[in-house]
Amino acid sequence: MSSQANSIAKQHEPSNSATMFDMFRQHYELIFAALSGIFILCGWLLEGGAVSITCYVLAFLIGGYAKAKEGILDTIEERELNVEMLMIFAAIGSAIIGYWAEGAILIFIFALSGALESYTMNKSQKEISALLALQPEEALLISNGYEKRVSIEQLQIDDIILIKPGERIPADGVISKGETNVDESAITGEPIPNEKSIGHEVFAGTVNMRGAIEVKITKPTDQTLFQKIIRLVQNAQSEKSPSQLFIERFEGTYVKSVLIVVGLMLFVPHFVLDWSWTETFYRAMILLVVASPCALVASITPATLSAISNGARHGILFKGGVHLERLSSLRAVAFDKTGTLTQGKPEVTDVKVREGAKVEEVLHIVASIENQSTHPLAEAIVKYSKHTYGLTLTKPEKLENITGFGVIGIVNGVQYKIGKADFVENDANDFAALASNLAKEGKTIVYVGDDQGVLGLIALKDILRTESVAAIRALNRLGIKTVLITGDNVQTAQAVARESGISEYYASCLPEMKVDVMKELKKKYDVVGMVGDGINDAPALATASVGIAMGEGTDVALETADVVLMKNDLSRLAQAIRLSKRMNVIVKQNIVFSLLVIALLICSNFLQFLALPFGVIGHEGSTILVILNGLRLLKANE
């Protein structure tokens, strides 16, 4: 037994080592940046000796490794200099004129911002893995009367596959045999399973809830609706925002301009202004240092991190500064319905009974029969009966499930029917006007009948979250348009929009339709946010200018989104937008200030007014000031 345990332990050792290596590989930039900061601190504490310089050199090498490697490789590949190369030159220049700490701090700030950017980018790969985990790898193929387990890649159009209760459907197709309920929340986001029988379409990634079914495949496995969701997420994430493209263009121009000016400073003043070679080189190195974008980087990173920390304290998770910045530009926000604006599960809202009947008696009968079912509507009725009326349920004498219509049960010798109107009795029309009004409110109607006709009806609804209306009003006050995009029917969408204060809605939307709607909204409003919580929302979240997920949503939605409301509190969305606006104001202040300081230092250096110590003080002082200004966001309430 001991040898077996040792063998198992040895088998796991490579796996653990591989895991540690993978963790290091994913986060090495952040680790190196932290080590660089530690060496800078050591160099500062030991200022004045060889050990101090050694610490700074280590800070240079370790902190600058990732960015230097990236800059050199990109320069070779694209044959164009970039900001990474400029930072390398500036650090070397500061070292040449004896300011090791200056160069090391320059490298540290740049390395830290790069590490945080890389960390955010790595996070975007996880949602694809989460999606793929929901796609079955094998299917039970029926061929010549025999069942055979095969890889989904082997499936062909018109093949017949068997899906047992509880299994995920591996491919899109049409039911050729059997009846069941299918949980399609992965596709539509709606919590109530749909009844399926022969001829009904089913989708890969959804769950067969009840009966065994045979499905005739209608699409190749790489063209299923679920695969389309995966591709939509991938495509949306690969698109660069306009701000990213602008920064890339600005980067090349800035680097070339600085290096050209520094190159001219190395020679022109000596011949034109009769400077000595020592003075010329000295001024060129100062220019390289003061023109480095250290203050510009510090203008954005500390303010962004402070705002992100502020948001985290209030239950708002930002996955990157770019998403936080973009929030302030939102002109419209689209909401999913189920689990976002609503609770995500049905609740009983109305119980109506015929004259002479009692509500408690009807609920006792219905709950006793429905207590045998796992259907969400049945569970909601049972819960309501127990918690609201404190009823003690009895076991029905007989129970029969009629697929597609409802159930028949016998309680105390009386037979009752529970389900759709035409299943209960033809005289359900007695309740037609009432049922019509309830349906207009987005409610699902369950009829109850006995041997005398319709006994009553029970209305259920996925009700709004308590904070939804206030959250919509807060957004409207900020001048932001609110839109509802749901997979539910038009009647329900209209009712939810009316109750929540949303004026624009789109109903019966599958995931790919949500993406189309989102693209139309972006054309109409330019910058559009999307709030959702389900797998079906992932493509729209990825397509939106800013994707916002509810904290209790699916893993895929959480990983795809740019912002997460950790406590499922929609009221935090308006707060996040106000925080974004405040951060952008501070960032603009910092950028203008840092550029003015750099311009002043460059002019002073050229006119020979600037001595090296004052150049360092001006450069580092401006950096410290913009950092302190950014840190004000830590104490901001909103």
PDB file of all heavy atoms in Angstrom, residues 353-384:
ATOM      1  N   VAL A 353     -59.157  31.827  -8.290  1.00  0.00           N
ATOM      2  CA  VAL A 353     -59.975  30.611  -8.243  1.00  0.00           C
ATOM      3  C   VAL A 353     -61.427  30.979  -8.576  1.00  0.00           C
ATOM      4  O   VAL A 353     -61.830  32.140  -8.471  1.00  0.00           O
ATOM      5  CB  VAL A 353     -59.901  29.936  -6.854  1.00  0.00           C
ATOM      6  CG1 VAL A 353     -58.461  29.513  -6.555  1.00  0.00           C
ATOM      7  CG2 VAL A 353     -60.405  30.863  -5.757  1.00  0.00           C
ATOM      8  N   ARG A 354     -62.195  29.949  -8.985  1.00  0.00           N
ATOM      9  CA  ARG A 354     -63.596  30.208  -9.348  1.00  0.00           C
ATOM     10  C   ARG A 354     -64.413  30.479  -8.086  1.00  0.00           C
ATOM     11  O   ARG A 354     -63.993  30.171  -6.958  1.00  0.00           O
ATOM     12  CB  ARG A 354     -64.165  29.037 -10.128  1.00  0.00           C
ATOM     13  CG  ARG A 354     -64.413  27.794  -9.322  1.00  0.00           C
ATOM     14  CD  ARG A 354     -64.903  26.665 -10.193  1.00  0.00           C
ATOM     15  NE  ARG A 354     -65.024  25.420  -9.432  1.00  0.00           N
ATOM     16  CZ  ARG A 354     -64.845  24.224  -9.948  1.00  0.00           C
ATOM     17  NH1 ARG A 354     -64.524  24.099 -11.233  1.00  0.00           N
ATOM     18  NH2 ARG A 354     -64.992  23.144  -9.197  1.00  0.00           N
ATOM     19  N   GLU A 355     -65.537  31.040  -8.300  1.00  0.00           N
ATOM     20  CA  GLU A 355     -66.401  31.416  -7.184  1.00  0.00           C
ATOM     21  C   GLU A 355     -66.772  30.190  -6.351  1.00  0.00           C
ATOM     22  O   GLU A 355     -67.135  29.139  -6.877  1.00  0.00           O
ATOM     23  CB  GLU A 355     -67.669  32.081  -7.729  1.00  0.00           C
ATOM     24  CG  GLU A 355     -68.560  32.680  -6.646  1.00  0.00           C
ATOM     25  CD  GLU A 355     -69.750  33.422  -7.229  1.00  0.00           C
ATOM     26  OE1 GLU A 355     -69.779  33.596  -8.466  1.00  0.00           O
ATOM     27  OE2 GLU A 355     -70.629  33.822  -6.451  1.00  0.00           O
ATOM     28  N   GLY A 356     -66.627  30.327  -5.041  1.00  0.00           N
ATOM     29  CA  GLY A 356     -66.942  29.237  -4.121  1.00  0.00           C
ATOM     30  C   GLY A 356     -65.728  28.428  -3.708  1.00  0.00           C
ATOM     31  O   GLY A 356     -65.779  27.692  -2.713  1.00  0.00           O
ATOM     32  N   ALA A 357     -64.628  28.536  -4.439  1.00  0.00           N
ATOM     33  CA  ALA A 357     -63.400  27.807  -4.097  1.00  0.00           C
ATOM     34  C   ALA A 357     -62.517  28.678  -3.213  1.00  0.00           C
ATOM     35  O   ALA A 357     -62.640  29.905  -3.187  1.00  0.00           O
ATOM     36  CB  ALA A 357     -62.657  27.395  -5.357  1.00  0.00           C
ATOM     37  N   LYS A 358     -61.639  28.024  -2.464  1.00  0.00           N
ATOM     38  CA  LYS A 358     -60.704  28.731  -1.593  1.00  0.00           C
ATOM     39  C   LYS A 358     -59.283  28.620  -2.140  1.00  0.00           C
ATOM     40  O   LYS A 358     -58.884  27.557  -2.616  1.00  0.00           O
ATOM     41  CB  LYS A 358     -60.765  28.174  -0.180  1.00  0.00           C
ATOM     42  CG  LYS A 358     -62.105  28.387   0.510  1.00  0.00           C
ATOM     43  CD  LYS A 358     -62.073  27.844   1.941  1.00  0.00           C
ATOM     44  CE  LYS A 358     -63.400  28.079   2.652  1.00  0.00           C
ATOM     45  NZ  LYS A 358     -63.379  27.549   4.040  1.00  0.00           N
ATOM     46  N   VAL A 359     -58.545  29.728  -2.040  1.00  0.00           N
ATOM     47  CA  VAL A 359     -57.175  29.766  -2.560  1.00  0.00           C
ATOM     48  C   VAL A 359     -56.311  28.715  -1.883  1.00  0.00           C
ATOM     49  O   VAL A 359     -55.547  27.986  -2.547  1.00  0.00           O
ATOM     50  CB  VAL A 359     -56.563  31.174  -2.360  1.00  0.00           C
ATOM     51  CG1 VAL A 359     -55.069  31.162  -2.688  1.00  0.00           C
ATOM     52  CG2 VAL A 359     -57.283  32.198  -3.211  1.00  0.00           C
ATOM     53  N   GLU A 360     -56.420  28.594  -0.547  1.00  0.00           N
ATOM     54  CA  GLU A 360     -55.579  27.637   0.183  1.00  0.00           C
ATOM     55  C   GLU A 360     -55.836  26.207  -0.274  1.00  0.00           C
ATOM     56  O   GLU A 360     -54.900  25.414  -0.433  1.00  0.00           O
ATOM     57  CB  GLU A 360     -55.824  27.751   1.693  1.00  0.00           C
ATOM     58  CG  GLU A 360     -55.319  29.034   2.315  1.00  0.00           C
ATOM     59  CD  GLU A 360     -56.348  30.149   2.243  1.00  0.00           C
ATOM     60  OE1 GLU A 360     -57.317  30.019   1.450  1.00  0.00           O
ATOM     61  OE2 GLU A 360     -56.178  31.160   2.947  1.00  0.00           O
ATOM     62  N   GLU A 361     -57.102  25.872  -0.515  1.00  0.00           N
ATOM     63  CA  GLU A 361     -57.443  24.510  -0.924  1.00  0.00           C
ATOM     64  C   GLU A 361     -56.898  24.207  -2.324  1.00  0.00           C
ATOM     65  O   GLU A 361     -56.364  23.122  -2.580  1.00  0.00           O
ATOM     66  CB  GLU A 361     -58.960  24.331  -0.891  1.00  0.00           C
ATOM     67  CG  GLU A 361     -59.547  24.366   0.521  1.00  0.00           C
ATOM     68  CD  GLU A 361     -61.058  24.218   0.518  1.00  0.00           C
ATOM     69  OE1 GLU A 361     -61.642  24.177  -0.595  1.00  0.00           O
ATOM     70  OE2 GLU A 361     -61.654  24.165   1.613  1.00  0.00           O
ATOM     71  N   VAL A 362     -57.026  25.180  -3.220  1.00  0.00           N
ATOM     72  CA  VAL A 362     -56.527  24.983  -4.581  1.00  0.00           C
ATOM     73  C   VAL A 362     -55.012  24.842  -4.568  1.00  0.00           C
ATOM     74  O   VAL A 362     -54.438  23.963  -5.242  1.00  0.00           O
ATOM     75  CB  VAL A 362     -56.959  26.155  -5.496  1.00  0.00           C
ATOM     76  CG1 VAL A 362     -56.296  26.037  -6.873  1.00  0.00           C
ATOM     77  CG2 VAL A 362     -58.477  26.187  -5.628  1.00  0.00           C
ATOM     78  N   LEU A 363     -54.322  25.705  -3.808  1.00  0.00           N
ATOM     79  CA  LEU A 363     -52.866  25.633  -3.721  1.00  0.00           C
ATOM     80  C   LEU A 363     -52.411  24.304  -3.111  1.00  0.00           C
ATOM     81  O   LEU A 363     -51.409  23.723  -3.542  1.00  0.00           O
ATOM     82  CB  LEU A 363     -52.320  26.795  -2.893  1.00  0.00           C
ATOM     83  CG  LEU A 363     -52.197  28.145  -3.610  1.00  0.00           C
ATOM     84  CD1 LEU A 363     -51.759  29.221  -2.630  1.00  0.00           C
ATOM     85  CD2 LEU A 363     -51.194  28.048  -4.758  1.00  0.00           C
ATOM     86  N   HIS A 364     -53.161  23.814  -2.120  1.00  0.00           N
ATOM     87  CA  HIS A 364     -52.808  22.529  -1.503  1.00  0.00           C
ATOM     88  C   HIS A 364     -52.879  21.400  -2.527  1.00  0.00           C
ATOM     89  O   HIS A 364     -51.997  20.542  -2.598  1.00  0.00           O
ATOM     90  CB  HIS A 364     -53.747  22.251  -0.330  1.00  0.00           C
ATOM     91  CG  HIS A 364     -53.494  20.924   0.313  1.00  0.00           C
ATOM     92  ND1 HIS A 364     -54.181  19.778  -0.069  1.00  0.00           N
ATOM     93  CD2 HIS A 364     -52.627  20.545   1.279  1.00  0.00           C
ATOM     94  CE1 HIS A 364     -53.741  18.759   0.647  1.00  0.00           C
ATOM     95  NE2 HIS A 364     -52.798  19.198   1.478  1.00  0.00           N
ATOM     96  N   ILE A 365     -53.917  21.415  -3.334  1.00  0.00           N
ATOM     97  CA  ILE A 365     -54.090  20.376  -4.359  1.00  0.00           C
ATOM     98  C   ILE A 365     -52.969  20.459  -5.392  1.00  0.00           C
ATOM     99  O   ILE A 365     -52.307  19.466  -5.709  1.00  0.00           O
ATOM    100  CB  ILE A 365     -55.469  20.527  -5.039  1.00  0.00           C
ATOM    101  CG1 ILE A 365     -56.593  20.216  -4.036  1.00  0.00           C
ATOM    102  CG2 ILE A 365     -55.560  19.611  -6.266  1.00  0.00           C
ATOM    103  CD1 ILE A 365     -57.969  20.647  -4.509  1.00  0.00           C
ATOM    104  N   VAL A 366     -52.756  21.656  -5.922  1.00  0.00           N
ATOM    105  CA  VAL A 366     -51.756  21.835  -6.987  1.00  0.00           C
ATOM    106  C   VAL A 366     -50.354  21.531  -6.474  1.00  0.00           C
ATOM    107  O   VAL A 366     -49.571  20.814  -7.129  1.00  0.00           O
ATOM    108  CB  VAL A 366     -51.810  23.272  -7.545  1.00  0.00           C
ATOM    109  CG1 VAL A 366     -50.707  23.489  -8.574  1.00  0.00           C
ATOM    110  CG2 VAL A 366     -53.179  23.544  -8.166  1.00  0.00           C
ATOM    111  N   ALA A 367     -50.001  22.050  -5.289  1.00  0.00           N
ATOM    112  CA  ALA A 367     -48.658  21.843  -4.748  1.00  0.00           C
ATOM    113  C   ALA A 367     -48.412  20.375  -4.419  1.00  0.00           C
ATOM    114  O   ALA A 367     -47.296  19.870  -4.597  1.00  0.00           O
ATOM    115  CB  ALA A 367     -48.457  22.710  -3.513  1.00  0.00           C
ATOM    116  N   SER A 368     -49.444  19.676  -3.947  1.00  0.00           N
ATOM    117  CA  SER A 368     -49.288  18.254  -3.635  1.00  0.00           C
ATOM    118  C   SER A 368     -48.966  17.460  -4.893  1.00  0.00           C
ATOM    119  O   SER A 368     -48.143  16.540  -4.874  1.00  0.00           O
ATOM    120  CB  SER A 368     -50.570  17.716  -2.982  1.00  0.00           C
ATOM    121  OG  SER A 368     -50.783  18.332  -1.728  1.00  0.00           O
ATOM    122  N   ILE A 369     -49.623  17.814  -5.985  1.00  0.00           N
ATOM    123  CA  ILE A 369     -49.366  17.129  -7.259  1.00  0.00           C
ATOM    124  C   ILE A 369     -48.015  17.559  -7.835  1.00  0.00           C
ATOM    125  O   ILE A 369     -47.206  16.736  -8.260  1.00  0.00           O
ATOM    126  CB  ILE A 369     -50.505  17.422  -8.260  1.00  0.00           C
ATOM    127  CG1 ILE A 369     -51.815  16.803  -7.747  1.00  0.00           C
ATOM    128  CG2 ILE A 369     -50.155  16.866  -9.646  1.00  0.00           C
ATOM    129  CD1 ILE A 369     -53.033  17.178  -8.568  1.00  0.00           C
ATOM    130  N   GLU A 370     -47.739  18.863  -7.851  1.00  0.00           N
ATOM    131  CA  GLU A 370     -46.508  19.384  -8.445  1.00  0.00           C
ATOM    132  C   GLU A 370     -45.268  19.077  -7.605  1.00  0.00           C
ATOM    133  O   GLU A 370     -44.138  19.198  -8.098  1.00  0.00           O
ATOM    134  CB  GLU A 370     -46.618  20.907  -8.638  1.00  0.00           C
ATOM    135  CG  GLU A 370     -47.692  21.336  -9.617  1.00  0.00           C
ATOM    136  CD  GLU A 370     -47.285  21.113 -11.076  1.00  0.00           C
ATOM    137  OE1 GLU A 370     -46.492  20.192 -11.345  1.00  0.00           O
ATOM    138  OE2 GLU A 370     -47.784  21.858 -11.938  1.00  0.00           O
ATOM    139  N   ASN A 371     -45.493  18.668  -6.369  1.00  0.00           N
ATOM    140  CA  ASN A 371     -44.350  18.339  -5.501  1.00  0.00           C
ATOM    141  C   ASN A 371     -43.555  17.149  -6.034  1.00  0.00           C
ATOM    142  O   ASN A 371     -42.410  16.928  -5.641  1.00  0.00           O
ATOM    143  CB  ASN A 371     -44.855  18.040  -4.082  1.00  0.00           C
ATOM    144  CG  ASN A 371     -43.736  18.053  -3.070  1.00  0.00           C
ATOM    145  OD1 ASN A 371     -42.783  18.830  -3.184  1.00  0.00           O
ATOM    146  ND2 ASN A 371     -43.834  17.194  -2.072  1.00  0.00           N
ATOM    147  N   GLN A 372     -44.155  16.406  -6.936  1.00  0.00           N
ATOM    148  CA  GLN A 372     -43.480  15.242  -7.511  1.00  0.00           C
ATOM    149  C   GLN A 372     -42.635  15.626  -8.740  1.00  0.00           C
ATOM    150  O   GLN A 372     -41.957  14.784  -9.316  1.00  0.00           O
ATOM    151  CB  GLN A 372     -44.522  14.184  -7.931  1.00  0.00           C
ATOM    152  CG  GLN A 372     -45.542  13.851  -6.853  1.00  0.00           C
ATOM    153  CD  GLN A 372     -44.897  13.287  -5.607  1.00  0.00           C
ATOM    154  OE1 GLN A 372     -44.062  12.386  -5.682  1.00  0.00           O
ATOM    155  NE2 GLN A 372     -45.266  13.830  -4.443  1.00  0.00           N
ATOM    156  N   SER A 373     -42.696  16.904  -9.138  1.00  0.00           N
ATOM    157  CA  SER A 373     -42.020  17.342 -10.362  1.00  0.00           C
ATOM    158  C   SER A 373     -40.792  18.198 -10.033  1.00  0.00           C
ATOM    159  O   SER A 373     -40.717  18.829  -8.974  1.00  0.00           O
ATOM    160  CB  SER A 373     -42.995  18.145 -11.236  1.00  0.00           C
ATOM    161  OG  SER A 373     -42.331  18.734 -12.338  1.00  0.00           O
ATOM    162  N   THR A 374     -39.833  18.219 -10.957  1.00  0.00           N
ATOM    163  CA  THR A 374     -38.642  19.068 -10.811  1.00  0.00           C
ATOM    164  C   THR A 374     -38.693  20.262 -11.769  1.00  0.00           C
ATOM    165  O   THR A 374     -37.721  20.994 -11.894  1.00  0.00           O
ATOM    166  CB  THR A 374     -37.359  18.258 -11.100  1.00  0.00           C
ATOM    167  OG1 THR A 374     -37.431  17.708 -12.418  1.00  0.00           O
ATOM    168  CG2 THR A 374     -37.190  17.143 -10.083  1.00  0.00           C
ATOM    169  N   HIS A 375     -39.816  20.447 -12.438  1.00  0.00           N
ATOM    170  CA  HIS A 375     -39.973  21.577 -13.364  1.00  0.00           C
ATOM    171  C   HIS A 375     -39.913  22.885 -12.566  1.00  0.00           C
ATOM    172  O   HIS A 375     -40.487  22.978 -11.471  1.00  0.00           O
ATOM    173  CB  HIS A 375     -41.315  21.471 -14.093  1.00  0.00           C
ATOM    174  CG  HIS A 375     -41.423  22.375 -15.279  1.00  0.00           C
ATOM    175  ND1 HIS A 375     -41.638  23.727 -15.157  1.00  0.00           N
ATOM    176  CD2 HIS A 375     -41.341  22.119 -16.608  1.00  0.00           C
ATOM    177  CE1 HIS A 375     -41.690  24.270 -16.369  1.00  0.00           C
ATOM    178  NE2 HIS A 375     -41.514  23.322 -17.267  1.00  0.00           N
ATOM    179  N   PRO A 376     -39.222  23.913 -13.070  1.00  0.00           N
ATOM    180  CA  PRO A 376     -39.098  25.181 -12.334  1.00  0.00           C
ATOM    181  C   PRO A 376     -40.436  25.799 -11.934  1.00  0.00           C
ATOM    182  O   PRO A 376     -40.547  26.368 -10.846  1.00  0.00           O
ATOM    183  CB  PRO A 376     -38.345  26.080 -13.323  1.00  0.00           C
ATOM    184  CG  PRO A 376     -37.553  25.136 -14.152  1.00  0.00           C
ATOM    185  CD  PRO A 376     -38.412  23.911 -14.304  1.00  0.00           C
ATOM    186  N   LEU A 377     -41.450  25.711 -12.810  1.00  0.00           N
ATOM    187  CA  LEU A 377     -42.766  26.251 -12.452  1.00  0.00           C
ATOM    188  C   LEU A 377     -43.376  25.481 -11.297  1.00  0.00           C
ATOM    189  O   LEU A 377     -43.971  26.076 -10.379  1.00  0.00           O
ATOM    190  CB  LEU A 377     -43.695  26.210 -13.676  1.00  0.00           C
ATOM    191  CG  LEU A 377     -43.336  27.111 -14.860  1.00  0.00           C
ATOM    192  CD1 LEU A 377     -44.350  26.940 -15.970  1.00  0.00           C
ATOM    193  CD2 LEU A 377     -43.252  28.570 -14.429  1.00  0.00           C
ATOM    194  N   ALA A 378     -43.237  24.153 -11.327  1.00  0.00           N
ATOM    195  CA  ALA A 378     -43.763  23.317 -10.253  1.00  0.00           C
ATOM    196  C   ALA A 378     -43.059  23.629  -8.938  1.00  0.00           C
ATOM    197  O   ALA A 378     -43.699  23.753  -7.883  1.00  0.00           O
ATOM    198  CB  ALA A 378     -43.594  21.837 -10.610  1.00  0.00           C
ATOM    199  N   GLU A 379     -41.742  23.763  -8.992  1.00  0.00           N
ATOM    200  CA  GLU A 379     -40.978  24.072  -7.786  1.00  0.00           C
ATOM    201  C   GLU A 379     -41.371  25.422  -7.205  1.00  0.00           C
ATOM    202  O   GLU A 379     -41.440  25.597  -5.988  1.00  0.00           O
ATOM    203  CB  GLU A 379     -39.476  24.043  -8.095  1.00  0.00           C
ATOM    204  CG  GLU A 379     -38.951  22.633  -8.407  1.00  0.00           C
ATOM    205  CD  GLU A 379     -37.482  22.634  -8.767  1.00  0.00           C
ATOM    206  OE1 GLU A 379     -36.936  23.737  -9.015  1.00  0.00           O
ATOM    207  OE2 GLU A 379     -36.881  21.550  -8.813  1.00  0.00           O
ATOM    208  N   ALA A 380     -41.660  26.388  -8.088  1.00  0.00           N
ATOM    209  CA  ALA A 380     -42.061  27.718  -7.628  1.00  0.00           C
ATOM    210  C   ALA A 380     -43.427  27.669  -6.929  1.00  0.00           C
ATOM    211  O   ALA A 380     -43.632  28.330  -5.898  1.00  0.00           O
ATOM    212  CB  ALA A 380     -42.112  28.686  -8.808  1.00  0.00           C
ATOM    213  N   ILE A 381     -44.346  26.877  -7.471  1.00  0.00           N
ATOM    214  CA  ILE A 381     -45.678  26.756  -6.858  1.00  0.00           C
ATOM    215  C   ILE A 381     -45.582  26.073  -5.487  1.00  0.00           C
ATOM    216  O   ILE A 381     -46.212  26.505  -4.514  1.00  0.00           O
ATOM    217  CB  ILE A 381     -46.625  25.970  -7.789  1.00  0.00           C
ATOM    218  CG1 ILE A 381     -46.896  26.785  -9.063  1.00  0.00           C
ATOM    219  CG2 ILE A 381     -47.936  25.632  -7.080  1.00  0.00           C
ATOM    220  CD1 ILE A 381     -47.652  26.026 -10.134  1.00  0.00           C
ATOM    221  N   VAL A 382     -44.781  25.020  -5.410  1.00  0.00           N
ATOM    222  CA  VAL A 382     -44.606  24.303  -4.142  1.00  0.00           C
ATOM    223  C   VAL A 382     -43.986  25.229  -3.098  1.00  0.00           C
ATOM    224  O   VAL A 382     -44.432  25.281  -1.937  1.00  0.00           O
ATOM    225  CB  VAL A 382     -43.730  23.043  -4.349  1.00  0.00           C
ATOM    226  CG1 VAL A 382     -43.376  22.417  -3.005  1.00  0.00           C
ATOM    227  CG2 VAL A 382     -44.457  22.031  -5.230  1.00  0.00           C
ATOM    228  N   LYS A 383     -42.970  25.951  -3.485  1.00  0.00           N
ATOM    229  CA  LYS A 383     -42.290  26.875  -2.564  1.00  0.00           C
ATOM    230  C   LYS A 383     -43.250  27.949  -2.067  1.00  0.00           C
ATOM    231  O   LYS A 383     -43.294  28.276  -0.873  1.00  0.00           O
ATOM    232  CB  LYS A 383     -41.098  27.521  -3.277  1.00  0.00           C
ATOM    233  CG  LYS A 383     -40.331  28.502  -2.408  1.00  0.00           C
ATOM    234  CD  LYS A 383     -39.168  29.113  -3.181  1.00  0.00           C
ATOM    235  CE  LYS A 383     -38.444  30.152  -2.342  1.00  0.00           C
ATOM    236  NZ  LYS A 383     -37.320  30.773  -3.080  1.00  0.00           N
ATOM    237  N   TYR A 384     -44.047  28.499  -2.979  1.00  0.00           N
ATOM    238  CA  TYR A 384     -45.009  29.535  -2.616  1.00  0.00           C
ATOM    239  C   TYR A 384     -46.044  28.996  -1.630  1.00  0.00           C
ATOM    240  O   TYR A 384     -46.383  29.666  -0.644  1.00  0.00           O
ATOM    241  CB  TYR A 384     -45.689  30.042  -3.887  1.00  0.00           C
ATOM    242  CG  TYR A 384     -46.748  31.099  -3.657  1.00  0.00           C
ATOM    243  CD1 TYR A 384     -46.406  32.418  -3.421  1.00  0.00           C
ATOM    244  CD2 TYR A 384     -48.109  30.760  -3.706  1.00  0.00           C
ATOM    245  CE1 TYR A 384     -47.384  33.395  -3.228  1.00  0.00           C
ATOM    246  CE2 TYR A 384     -49.093  31.722  -3.507  1.00  0.00           C
ATOM    247  CZ  TYR A 384     -48.714  33.042  -3.271  1.00  0.00           C
ATOM    248  OH  TYR A 384     -49.694  33.994  -3.072  1.00  0.00           O
TER     249      TYR A 384
END
